[in-house]
Amino acid sequence: MNVVSYRPKPEELSYTFGGRPALGKVRPGTILELYTEDCFGGRVQTVDDLPSQVCEFPYLNPVTGPFHVEGAEPGDTLALHFISITPARDWAVSTTFPHFGALTGTHTTAMLQPPLEERVWRYDIDLDKNVAVYHARNSDFSVALPLDPMHGTVGVAPGANEARMTITPDAHGGNMDTPELRAGVTVYLGVNVEGGMFSIGDGHGLQGHGEVCGTAVESAMNTVVAVELIKGVATPWPRLEDDLHLMSTGSARPLEDAYRISQHDLVTWTSELTGLDTLDAYQLVSQAGQAPVGNVCDTNYTMVAKLPKAYLGGAADVYESAHARLRALGSQYTS
Amino acid sequence: MNVVSYRPKPEELSYTFGGRPALGKVRPGTILELYTEDCFGGRVQTVDDLPSQVCEFPYLNPVTGPFHVEGAEPGDTLALHFISITPARDWAVSTTFPHFGALTGTHTTAMLQPPLEERVWRYDIDLDKNVAVYHARNSDFSVALPLDPMHGTVGVAPGANEARMTITPDAHGGNMDTPELRAGVTVYLGVNVEGGMFSIGDGHGLQGHGEVCGTAVESAMNTVVAVELIKGVATPWPRLEDDLHLMSTGSARPLEDAYRISQHDLVTWTSELTGLDTLDAYQLVSQAGQAPVGNVCDTNYTMVAKLPKAYLGGAADVYESAHARLRALGSQYTS
Amino acid sequence: MNVVSYRPKPEELSYTFGGRPALGKVRPGTILELYTEDCFGGRVQTVDDLPSQVCEFPYLNPVTGPFHVEGAEPGDTLALHFISITPARDWAVSTTFPHFGALTGTHTTAMLQPPLEERVWRYDIDLDKNVAVYHARNSDFSVALPLDPMHGTVGVAPGANEARMTITPDAHGGNMDTPELRAGVTVYLGVNVEGGMFSIGDGHGLQGHGEVCGTAVESAMNTVVAVELIKGVATPWPRLEDDLHLMSTGSARPLEDAYRISQHDLVTWTSELTGLDTLDAYQLVSQAGQAPVGNVCDTNYTMVAKLPKAYLGGAADVYESAHARLRALGSQYTS
Amino acid sequence: MNVVSYRPKPEELSYTFGGRPALGKVRPGTILELYTEDCFGGRVQTVDDLPSQVCEFPYLNPVTGPFHVEGAEPGDTLALHFISITPARDWAVSTTFPHFGALTGTHTTAMLQPPLEERVWRYDIDLDKNVAVYHARNSDFSVALPLDPMHGTVGVAPGANEARMTITPDAHGGNMDTPELRAGVTVYLGVNVEGGMFSIGDGHGLQGHGEVCGTAVESAMNTVVAVELIKGVATPWPRLEDDLHLMSTGSARPLEDAYRISQHDLVTWTSELTGLDTLDAYQLVSQAGQAPVGNVCDTNYTMVAKLPKAYLGGAADVYESAHARLRALGSQYTS
């Protein structure tokens, strides 16, 4: 088993997908043990650390990477299987941020109203009890919420010589902020440049649907990822697979376009897998498909389209069984 | 127990919320046994019955009602508890429909491309096995999908002297098309006119998230509803409650506005119930809130915001415990 | 010349399209001299009259009508030619209104921020100088703006037995709030119910593009309209014609859908008139078409698609030359 | 007068803003004579040259540049005054393009319908008569349309280390596709990186509002631009100025957000210039503001907010009178 560990120094963190040299090179089949910083670069530690004061734009939402995957060329697909995602500290934070979030005016949904108050919440993380404990700021209210660790941000270098802020989700991945991206899941990313150049960051101890206030339970993470390369198979938008489901994603504005992209991909993928014609696949997805909301706060919104493999009539073997193989590799690693 | 049965004659079906005399009067505390027709008025029975040929606009999406609830006045809230929702036939249908659905140009998202093919799928409904069996039209593919019966349409007469097509969801309810509206759920609807004038229709054997092709597994239903009236409590947008969750809804375009309305209502409701200030409630909902997609195909799109009661610190008793009381009444009826 | 005058009493004002008996019956060919109240029903008269205090929902945006046009049946088109639109008072008002306008959170674009301040501006109207004089509230700044009187609201009873608040623009017309609806223009409205049942209101001394704060220079009006009926010609969305242009409208959300509806109608109309195939018409409109913004603040947004007749190769004679005839009738009336 | 000419070789054309070394260095005060290729790189020359066959993604929408302006630093503003924009050939082309345009499904507004036909129109450009002659493809219809030359694309390197395809408009400028960007206009662009790094391209002989089919009358251009640098003055979104108007732009989706950004900037700018408080400025812009549509087809949509200087009470002198000075310099150059 080829296991490699990376813990980036602060000055090695990346803030874009694309436009950066590789942090390291990995061979397909490698297991990566990564440390990822939280979206504030670890600078928001107490309720008095207001992000607008302790953080500096554009040094937000750092990612660990990019990693160059040997042999990856445009037209291939990277498979990243998340073996484990473990909060790295016994605390995490969440905040409002001026002109950010779904229930406030923003720089694009521009309003004349003053911004909402900037406020920080600090959560206790208890891995034994598997909870993050919420504490209200203006009362004694407190409640333990079950951990469901995930990564908000994973992606590759975009095509067309673009470089994009890590905060933006698009066809290259990025800050999709979907709770579906948890341990046990394989993410498929289409390769746009030599080496693929993937990065991972923005761990969440848990996240509500849509990340309505703009941030989740933001946590540094120790994350283990198994890397595979599927040659000669393109992937237009990030896809996910767990043991029971296939998933397509879409990131766009307005939110219905994110929904359309993800459902369109799931319908055409279902058609390819089952041999159903497009309309028959459309009908099947219409009744059996799910649509978990990713984010409704970032520069693009993200929706996931999700179908139980059980309804595909035995035709759910995708990407040369990469998920099953990586799942097995992950079990081997864990045991 | 006051139990009343209504089975509307075809000519008694309604096609609007508002603008119609009552089909019947009911006292609070009544249990209604209703028959509801499917969204095609039962006219699409075989795969050869194209809706655009056998149905006539605007006689689509008929509802059973309206019912006048004694004592209901503007500013009150109706509670409708769905005791059971049972497919009334051993078949159901779904179709594409020209210029309707999320992955096609429509009359508002106007495109120059020709419409998609109009096609009908007929499902076998098997109540014993609890499945609806999908049959592809252009192959032998077939798969049994678990039933999860629901009503797409429930609402009251709108305010401001409006009358709205039943196909439109808005603050008065209407065609929200959310799978959350299943048996065991109580729906709260703000009363806008004397008597409230609620109607129910558009049963679905099951429905995918967003109803992407525009129709679900459309089925006539035998539905049992317990009716309550909460005096002096207003409800701005429809809310739902099941044993474990509180839910707010929003219906609008673009889809992010449906999300905003529903999340905004859930945040302010959470604040009222718990005494958390608005930002503290915003934070709690941001991490613990869910966002099931209703429809992304109707004249307004619908999102649901959903919070486990367990996270409200014992403050989840709403609407004078109407849900618990109606749940008990339902158990009494069923046994 | 058949000239009829109507000045509705306060209790005769209408607040919906549809759901109301006719205020009067008119024969095609009639010239109507109408008085219309401003959108506040004349209750906001000084800067101290805050609309939320002196007006009562839903008694906003009153219209004069509805008028039953003899012989009008579903499938026909009403032509309303605006001979003159004259501010009826030497003052007019504009206001912000809580949760209304394009640069503030609203009930649908729901935000947690407090609403903007509610403020009233009173304009001096000087018909001789043809100006409305703006006065800042918090400084001595003052400027005279040229009058360009128009009606924000004109429409017929909707189809499908609907009744809609006058504030909503849709396929039946309504509160389109486009500055293109000025004197010299003919509006074409598809008839949905017997008699058509048209109404007119919401005069503006002038209006910026999009009515960004939610209200224009709101003015009662003395308006003269010539009424025609075109039998057997349907009109899916309101259209406008002036001496030099044909115009289509669309009202929807998001704003691009209003644009799509209006441009789609203009393209297909151009194709019908010129014999160009759809793509050739699409190309012509793409280069020669204009797109004046109507409103970006109402419950639906409105866009206008506008094409100079000069580019239609002599094929711009529409609706049986109704505009030319009514223009001539108007000249006869005025002289 | 410092006049410099640049005619890029094909291999010198740029396809991104950001991520490219400078094509040349210019001092403030320089007059640049530029040649810009059309959006197809000149490869679509006849109606048989289908873009999807003769062009290769992502080598679309080439720009001439980037130019490094000496002394330009983040926080400064570049002023680019367009002295003249002259079609460089006696022909131009426009096309439909699969999955592109406002009245068709696209990669983001994803639809299951097949794409529209790809078709090319070739226009005759007659500089003497000042017209572009449209020829229908499927009939003899032909019409001369007045030239109104403009540049669809102008911008600087984005901030946050991003590189963006030239086809995308955003805060750095880019493919705004507004007809307001014609000769006689000064464009103000906020500097994000040392040297500013501006580029110009995508000339249009004329363009309809919204560029509904996705392309305009695409033409190579000979363009003369005067360059100025305003030190220490930041500009958040591109602004324009002509002799009579100030203009703000916004580029986003949905279209109402582009409108909001542009109107918000115009309101706050008006407030700064006149000393009016925000609400008083909001009111003035609401009545006197215009909103020319830029594009409704690109990856972001663009709206312009436009205010006659005459209504600013003598407070319309902006950016240290750069427009007036550059206008004078332009006159000197031309004479």
Side-chain angles (χ1 to χ4, degrees):
Chain A
M1 211 180 315
N2 183 25
V3 181
V4 183
S5 293
Y6 278 95
R7 186 184 173 100
K9 298 171 200 155
E11 64 272 20
E12 289 174 335
L13 292 170
S14 292
Y15 299 91
T16 56
F17 287 96
R20 295 266 305 183
L23 184 65
K25 269 205 173 185
V26 297
R27 291 203 313 272
T30 301
I31 290 176
L32 276 174
E33 298 170 332
L34 301 175
Y35 174 84
T36 64
E37 251 311 337
D38 68 32
C39 71
F40 303 111
R43 295 183 180 200
V44 178
Q45 300 179 5
T46 75
V47 295
D48 296 322
D49 297 330
L50 296 187
S52 68
Q53 294 177 359
V54 300
C55 298
E56 185 192 359
F57 180 83
Y59 303 106
L60 287 167
N61 207 42
V63 288
T64 297
F67 295 99
H68 176 114
V69 179
E70 287 181 27
E73 295 168 303
D76 299 341
T77 291
L78 283 190
L80 303 179
H81 177 72
F82 286 79
I83 296 173
S84 62
I85 304 174
T86 312
R89 300 178 184 127
D90 62 0
W91 56 270
V93 289
S94 187
T95 81
T96 49
F97 194 86
H99 304 296
F100 196 66
L103 300 185
T104 175
T106 65
H107 293 292
T108 45
T109 307
M111 304 272 156
L112 292 172
Q113 294 154 297
L116 288 177
E117 179 196 329
E118 189 175 3
R119 192 185 288 185
V120 176
W121 292 262
R122 186 178 151 127
Y123 286 76
D124 306 314
I125 303 295
D126 186 329
L127 292 182
D128 292 335
K129 294 187 179 159
N130 199 39
V131 295
V133 182
Y134 163 90
H135 302 283
R137 287 294 308 281
N138 280 339
S139 78
D140 290 337
F141 187 102
S142 176
V143 64
L145 304 172
L147 286 172
D148 186 12
M150 53 164 276
H151 277 283
T153 308
V154 58
V156 292
N161 296 307
E162 285 205 313
R164 306 293 298 277
M165 282 190 293
T166 52
I167 211 171
T168 298
D170 208 321
H172 67 283
N175 193 31
M176 298 181 286
D177 280 326
T178 164
E180 300 295 330
L181 212 158
R182 55 171 69 90
V185 168
T186 303
V187 180
Y188 301 102
L189 297 162
V191 174
N192 301 300
V193 305
E194 207 187 324
M197 306 297 279
F198 75 88
S199 304
I200 296 172
D202 191 26
H204 297 164
L206 72 153
Q207 180 203 301
H209 294 179
E211 209 180 1
V212 61
C213 83
T215 59
V217 178
E218 306 291 339
S219 173
M221 292 287 176
N222 290 306
T223 289
V224 183
V225 179
V227 181
E228 260 295 4
L229 176 64
I230 296 104
K231 292 292 298 177
V233 178
T235 300
W237 281 87
R239 289 172 175 172
L240 285 72
E241 181 178 4
D242 66 19
D243 293 354
L244 299 177
H245 304 90
L246 299 181
M247 296 177 244
S248 297
T249 69
S251 296
R253 288 188 178 202
L255 186 56
E256 54 263 39
D257 273 2
Y259 177 83
R260 284 178 176 126
I261 293 167
S262 63
Q263 296 280 327
H264 184 278
D265 186 68
L266 187 61
V267 167
T268 51
W269 196 12
T270 295
S271 173
E272 287 166 26
L273 292 173
T274 57
L276 290 172
D277 75 4
T278 303
L279 279 195
D280 277 349
Y282 190 26
Q283 172 60 210
L284 180 58
V285 169
S286 291
Q287 311 314 336
Q290 301 162 19
V293 175
N295 88 78
V296 194
C297 59
D298 294 322
T299 46
N300 281 322
Y301 304 138
T302 300
M303 295 287 289
V304 178
K306 186 175 179 179
L307 193 68
K309 296 178 187 176
Y311 303 148
L312 289 171
D317 188 9
V318 301
Y319 290 104
E320 304 169 2
S321 308
H323 176 71
R325 274 183 290 117
L326 291 169
R327 193 95 168 97
L329 185 64
S331 300
Q332 204 179 332
Y333 167 85
T334 317
S335 63
Chain B
M1 214 178 317
N2 182 24
V3 181
V4 183
S5 294
Y6 278 96
R7 185 185 175 101
K9 296 173 200 155
E11 66 272 21
E12 288 174 335
L13 292 170
S14 291
Y15 299 91
T16 56
F17 286 95
R20 297 265 305 183
L23 184 64
K25 270 204 173 186
V26 296
R27 290 204 314 271
T30 300
I31 289 176
L32 277 175
E33 297 170 331
L34 300 175
Y35 175 84
T36 65
E37 251 310 338
D38 68 32
C39 72
F40 303 111
R43 295 184 180 199
V44 178
Q45 300 180 2
T46 76
V47 296
D48 297 321
D49 297 330
L50 296 186
S52 68
Q53 293 178 0
V54 300
C55 298
E56 184 193 359
F57 179 83
Y59 303 107
L60 287 167
N61 206 41
V63 289
T64 297
F67 295 99
H68 177 114
V69 179
E70 287 181 27
E73 294 167 304
D76 299 340
T77 290
L78 283 189
L80 302 180
H81 177 71
F82 286 79
I83 297 173
S84 63
I85 304 174
T86 312
R89 300 177 184 127
D90 62 359
W91 57 270
V93 290
S94 187
T95 81
T96 49
F97 194 85
H99 304 297
F100 196 66
L103 300 185
T104 175
T106 66
H107 292 293
T108 45
T109 307
M111 305 274 158
L112 291 171
Q113 293 154 298
L116 288 176
E117 179 196 329
E118 188 175 5
R119 193 186 286 184
V120 176
W121 292 262
R122 185 177 153 127
Y123 286 76
D124 307 315
I125 303 295
D126 186 328
L127 292 181
D128 292 335
K129 294 186 178 161
N130 200 39
V131 295
V133 183
Y134 163 90
H135 302 283
R137 288 294 309 281
N138 279 340
S139 79
D140 290 338
F141 187 102
S142 175
V143 64
L145 303 171
L147 286 172
D148 186 12
M150 52 163 278
H151 277 283
T153 308
V154 58
V156 291
N161 297 309
E162 287 205 313
R164 306 293 299 275
M165 282 191 292
T166 53
I167 210 170
T168 298
D170 209 323
H172 67 282
N175 193 31
M176 298 181 284
D177 280 325
T178 166
E180 300 294 331
L181 212 159
R182 55 172 68 90
V185 168
T186 303
V187 180
Y188 301 102
L189 298 162
V191 173
N192 301 299
V193 305
E194 208 186 325
M197 307 296 278
F198 75 88
S199 305
I200 297 171
D202 192 26
H204 298 163
L206 72 154
Q207 180 203 302
H209 294 178
E211 209 180 3
V212 61
C213 84
T215 59
V217 178
E218 306 290 340
S219 174
M221 292 287 175
N222 290 307
T223 290
V224 183
V225 180
V227 181
E228 258 298 1
L229 176 64
I230 296 105
K231 291 293 296 178
V233 178
T235 299
W237 281 86
R239 290 173 174 169
L240 285 72
E241 182 178 4
D242 66 19
D243 291 355
L244 299 175
H245 304 89
L246 299 182
M247 296 177 245
S248 296
T249 69
S251 296
R253 289 187 177 203
L255 186 56
E256 55 262 39
D257 273 1
Y259 177 81
R260 285 179 176 125
I261 294 167
S262 62
Q263 297 280 327
H264 184 279
D265 186 68
L266 187 60
V267 167
T268 50
W269 196 12
T270 295
S271 173
E272 287 166 27
L273 292 173
T274 58
L276 291 171
D277 75 5
T278 303
L279 279 195
D280 276 349
Y282 190 27
Q283 173 61 212
L284 180 58
V285 169
S286 290
Q287 310 315 335
Q290 301 163 19
V293 175
N295 88 77
V296 193
C297 60
D298 295 322
T299 46
N300 282 322
Y301 304 138
T302 301
M303 296 286 290
V304 178
K306 186 176 180 179
L307 192 68
K309 295 178 189 178
Y311 302 148
L312 289 172
D317 188 11
V318 300
Y319 290 104
E320 304 169 2
S321 308
H323 176 71
R325 274 183 289 118
L326 291 168
R327 193 96 169 97
L329 185 64
S331 299
Q332 204 179 334
Y333 167 86
T334 317
S335 61
Chain C
M1 211 178 320
N2 182 24
V3 181
V4 182
S5 293
Y6 279 95
R7 186 186 175 100
K9 298 171 201 156
E11 65 271 21
E12 287 174 334
L13 292 169
S14 291
Y15 299 90
T16 57
F17 287 96
R20 295 266 305 183
L23 184 65
K25 270 203 174 187
V26 296
R27 288 203 318 270
T30 301
I31 289 175
L32 276 174
E33 298 170 330
L34 301 175
Y35 175 84
T36 65
E37 251 311 337
D38 69 32
C39 72
F40 303 112
R43 296 184 180 198
V44 178
Q45 300 180 3
T46 76
V47 296
D48 297 320
D49 298 330
L50 297 187
S52 68
Q53 293 177 0
V54 301
C55 298
E56 185 192 1
F57 180 83
Y59 302 105
L60 288 168
N61 206 41
V63 290
T64 297
F67 295 99
H68 177 114
V69 179
E70 287 181 28
E73 294 167 305
D76 298 341
T77 290
L78 283 190
L80 303 179
H81 177 71
F82 287 78
I83 297 173
S84 62
I85 304 174
T86 312
R89 303 179 182 125
D90 63 359
W91 57 269
V93 289
S94 188
T95 81
T96 49
F97 194 87
H99 304 296
F100 196 66
L103 299 185
T104 175
T106 66
H107 293 293
T108 46
T109 306
M111 303 274 158
L112 291 171
Q113 293 154 296
L116 288 176
E117 179 195 329
E118 189 174 4
R119 194 186 285 184
V120 176
W121 292 261
R122 186 177 151 127
Y123 286 77
D124 306 314
I125 302 295
D126 186 328
L127 292 181
D128 292 335
K129 295 187 179 160
N130 199 39
V131 295
V133 182
Y134 162 91
H135 302 283
R137 287 293 308 282
N138 280 340
S139 80
D140 290 339
F141 188 102
S142 176
V143 64
L145 303 171
L147 284 173
D148 186 12
M150 53 164 276
H151 278 282
T153 308
V154 59
V156 291
N161 296 308
E162 285 205 313
R164 305 294 298 277
M165 281 189 293
T166 52
I167 210 170
T168 298
D170 208 323
H172 67 281
N175 194 31
M176 298 181 285
D177 279 324
T178 166
E180 301 294 332
L181 212 158
R182 55 173 67 90
V185 168
T186 303
V187 180
Y188 300 102
L189 297 161
V191 174
N192 301 299
V193 305
E194 207 186 324
M197 306 295 280
F198 76 87
S199 305
I200 295 171
D202 190 27
H204 298 165
L206 72 154
Q207 181 202 302
H209 294 179
E211 209 181 2
V212 62
C213 83
T215 59
V217 178
E218 307 291 341
S219 174
M221 292 287 176
N222 290 307
T223 290
V224 183
V225 179
V227 181
E228 259 296 1
L229 177 64
I230 296 106
K231 292 293 296 178
V233 178
T235 299
W237 281 86
R239 289 171 174 171
L240 286 70
E241 181 178 4
D242 66 19
D243 291 355
L244 299 176
H245 303 89
L246 299 182
M247 296 178 245
S248 297
T249 68
S251 296
R253 289 190 176 198
L255 187 56
E256 55 263 40
D257 273 2
Y259 177 82
R260 285 179 176 125
I261 294 167
S262 63
Q263 296 281 327
H264 184 279
D265 186 67
L266 187 61
V267 167
T268 51
W269 195 12
T270 295
S271 173
E272 287 166 27
L273 292 172
T274 57
L276 291 171
D277 74 6
T278 303
L279 279 194
D280 276 349
Y282 190 27
Q283 173 60 212
L284 180 58
V285 169
S286 291
Q287 311 315 336
Q290 302 162 17
V293 176
N295 88 79
V296 194
C297 60
D298 295 323
T299 47
N300 282 322
Y301 305 137
T302 300
M303 295 286 290
V304 177
K306 185 175 179 179
L307 193 68
K309 296 179 187 176
Y311 303 149
L312 288 171
D317 188 9
V318 300
Y319 291 103
E320 303 168 1
S321 308
H323 175 73
R325 274 183 291 116
L326 291 168
R327 195 93 169 99
L329 186 63
S331 300
Q332 205 179 331
Y333 168 86
T334 317
S335 64
Chain D
M1 212 179 318
N2 183 25
V3 181
V4 183
S5 292
Y6 279 95
R7 185 185 175 99
K9 298 172 201 155
E11 65 272 21
E12 288 174 334
L13 292 169
S14 292
Y15 300 91
T16 56
F17 286 96
R20 295 265 306 183
L23 183 64
K25 271 204 173 186
V26 297
R27 290 203 314 271
T30 301
I31 289 176
L32 276 174
E33 298 170 331
L34 301 175
Y35 174 84
T36 64
E37 252 309 337
D38 68 31
C39 71
F40 304 111
R43 296 183 180 200
V44 177
Q45 301 180 4
T46 76
V47 296
D48 297 321
D49 297 330
L50 297 187
S52 68
Q53 293 176 0
V54 302
C55 298
E56 184 192 359
F57 180 83
Y59 304 105
L60 288 167
N61 207 43
V63 289
T64 297
F67 295 99
H68 177 115
V69 179
E70 286 181 28
E73 295 167 304
D76 298 341
T77 291
L78 283 189
L80 303 179
H81 178 71
F82 287 79
I83 297 173
S84 62
I85 304 173
T86 312
R89 302 180 183 123
D90 63 359
W91 56 270
V93 290
S94 187
T95 81
T96 49
F97 194 86
H99 304 296
F100 197 67
L103 300 185
T104 174
T106 65
H107 293 292
T108 46
T109 307
M111 304 273 156
L112 292 171
Q113 292 154 299
L116 288 176
E117 179 195 330
E118 189 175 4
R119 193 185 286 185
V120 176
W121 292 262
R122 187 178 150 125
Y123 287 77
D124 307 315
I125 303 295
D126 187 328
L127 293 181
D128 292 336
K129 294 188 179 160
N130 199 38
V131 295
V133 183
Y134 162 91
H135 302 283
R137 288 293 309 281
N138 280 339
S139 79
D140 290 338
F141 187 102
S142 176
V143 64
L145 304 171
L147 285 172
D148 186 11
M150 53 164 275
H151 278 284
T153 308
V154 59
V156 290
N161 296 306
E162 286 205 313
R164 307 293 300 275
M165 282 190 293
T166 53
I167 211 169
T168 298
D170 208 322
H172 67 283
N175 194 32
M176 297 181 286
D177 280 325
T178 165
E180 300 295 331
L181 212 159
R182 54 173 68 89
V185 167
T186 303
V187 180
Y188 300 103
L189 298 161
V191 174
N192 301 299
V193 304
E194 208 187 325
M197 307 296 280
F198 76 87
S199 304
I200 296 171
D202 190 27
H204 298 164
L206 72 154
Q207 180 203 302
H209 294 180
E211 210 181 1
V212 61
C213 84
T215 59
V217 178
E218 306 291 339
S219 173
M221 292 288 174
N222 291 306
T223 290
V224 183
V225 179
V227 181
E228 259 297 3
L229 176 64
I230 295 104
K231 292 293 296 178
V233 178
T235 300
W237 282 86
R239 290 172 173 170
L240 286 71
E241 181 178 4
D242 66 19
D243 291 354
L244 299 176
H245 304 88
L246 299 182
M247 296 177 243
S248 297
T249 68
S251 295
R253 289 190 176 199
L255 187 56
E256 54 262 40
D257 273 2
Y259 177 81
R260 285 179 177 126
I261 294 167
S262 63
Q263 296 282 326
H264 184 279
D265 187 67
L266 188 60
V267 167
T268 51
W269 196 12
T270 296
S271 173
E272 287 166 27
L273 293 172
T274 57
L276 291 172
D277 74 6
T278 304
L279 279 195
D280 276 350
Y282 190 27
Q283 173 60 212
L284 180 58
V285 169
S286 290
Q287 311 315 337
Q290 301 163 19
V293 175
N295 88 78
V296 194
C297 60
D298 295 321
T299 46
N300 282 321
Y301 304 138
T302 300
M303 296 287 290
V304 178
K306 186 177 181 178
L307 193 68
K309 295 178 189 177
Y311 303 149
L312 288 171
D317 188 9
V318 300
Y319 290 104
E320 304 170 0
S321 309
H323 176 73
R325 274 184 289 118
L326 292 167
R327 194 96 169 97
L329 185 65
S331 299
Q332 203 180 333
Y333 168 88
T334 317
S335 64

